[in-house]
Amino acid sequence: MTDDRLTTLAADQPYGLAAYDNARPTVPITFTAADLAELGPDEVLVGKHRAATRK
């Protein structure tokens, strides 16, 4: 049995990520499933903006 709540993002539900650099928090990222769907294969979320990868 699989608990889909752990593997599927809910529509219109905001999610957030935070990272740390040398014990200092970086700018948190808030996103929805729709934000992720708009990203191209070489793009990542950076704050509320999209950015290309190193390529």
Side-chain angles (χ1 to χ4, degrees), residues 30-55:
T30 302
F31 62 93
T32 64
D35 294 329
L36 296 179
E38 292 177 6
L39 293 176
D42 290 334
E43 294 180 318
V44 295
L45 285 174
V46 179
K48 293 188 180 221
H49 307 283
R50 289 189 283 167
T53 63
R54 289 185 214 178
K55 292 180 181 181

Side-chain angles (χ1 to χ4, degrees), residues 10-28:
D12 299 323
Q13 172 67 43
Y15 294 91
L17 294 173
Y20 291 83
D21 182 16
N22 293 322
R24 294 183 189 167
T26 61
V27 175

